[in-house]
Amino acid sequence: MSEKQHEIRLTVNGTDHDVAVPARRLLSDALRHDLGLTGTHVGCEHGVCGACTVLVDGQPMRSCLMFAVTAAGHDITTVEGLARPDGELGPVQQAFRECHGLQCGFCTPGFLTTITAGIAENPEPTEDEARDMIAGNLCRCTGYQNIVKAVCRAAELARDDRTPEGGAA
Ligand code: FES
Ligand code: FES
């Protein structure tokens, strides 16, 4: 017997997508397979590695632990939505580039989304706070030092974005 499909609307990076999914389709699978947004990576598939992290109403969520039907009606942001409207790198992406915060890049989408939410909540993190911010994300390659630097640099770039040119912070 074929599985019952549920018609849902997923709002991802500001665009509505109408899809039909089984009740148990993971959000990570819906993003990658139904919507073709393969920037969200899947590592462990059980909530440990953080590679699949997306923002749901601005909060970091592991998309491998959430059903797509649960995400309907919420604003989802994936790594594809972190660039600036003109296509230039967003502050967290730019910081990763400047600070060499990635090697193979598999973990990177999850770090970028996590840090985007983290610096929105704490716009001036100390190095210790930066480490706490990324404590739930695993990276096999970098040793984390440059990612911590990238958190602080991303916060600085985001603050510059919010400061009107020539004005005070
Ligand atoms: S794939 Fe979701 S936390 Fe690892
Ligand atoms: S850059 Fe390779 S896993 Fe993080």
Side-chain angles (χ1 to χ4, degrees):
M1 201 171 75
S2 65
E3 225 174 330
K4 180 171 159 39
Q5 302 286 311
H6 297 264
E7 308 272 347
I8 57 168
R9 175 165 293 179
L10 291 175
T11 306
V12 185
N13 305 326
T15 303
D16 289 338
H17 302 266
D18 293 317
V19 286
V21 291
R24 294 178 63 80
R25 169 84 91 239
L26 297 173
L27 177 58
S28 49
D29 289 337
L31 291 170
R32 291 177 53 84
H33 303 304
D34 297 305
L35 305 187
L37 295 170
T38 53
T40 297
H41 291 170
V42 174
C44 66
E45 269 194 296
H46 58 265
V48 174
C49 74
C52 67
T53 305
V54 300
L55 303 181
V56 178
D57 298 331
Q59 295 301 312
M61 297 286 292
R62 309 213 147 181
S63 60
C64 74
L65 294 184
M66 190 171 190
F67 292 127
V69 291
T70 319
H74 295 276
D75 274 324
I76 301 159
T77 306
T78 66
V79 68
E80 288 91 347
L82 299 186
R84 296 175 193 278
D86 62 3
E88 292 294 313
L89 298 180
V92 188
Q93 295 169 314
Q94 173 74 27
F96 264 63
R97 184 163 78 177
E98 284 181 21
C99 300
H100 305 286
L102 66 146
Q103 288 179 28
C104 80
F106 189 86
C107 66
T108 309
F111 275 96
L112 296 177
T113 48
T114 301
I115 295 164
T116 297
I119 62 173
E121 197 176 298
N122 178 4
E124 244 169 295
T126 62
E127 204 175 299
D128 279 350
E129 287 166 343
R131 287 182 194 283
D132 276 352
M133 203 182 281
I134 58 165
N137 291 67
L138 300 181
C139 173
R140 299 167 296 191
C141 307
T142 61
Y144 300 99
Q145 300 295 350
N146 287 351
I147 299 180
V148 171
K149 281 187 199 145
V151 173
C152 297
R153 177 63 180 143
E156 196 173 75
L157 289 168
R159 288 199 301 273
D160 288 351
D161 274 3
R162 283 191 296 271
T163 307
E165 232 164 278

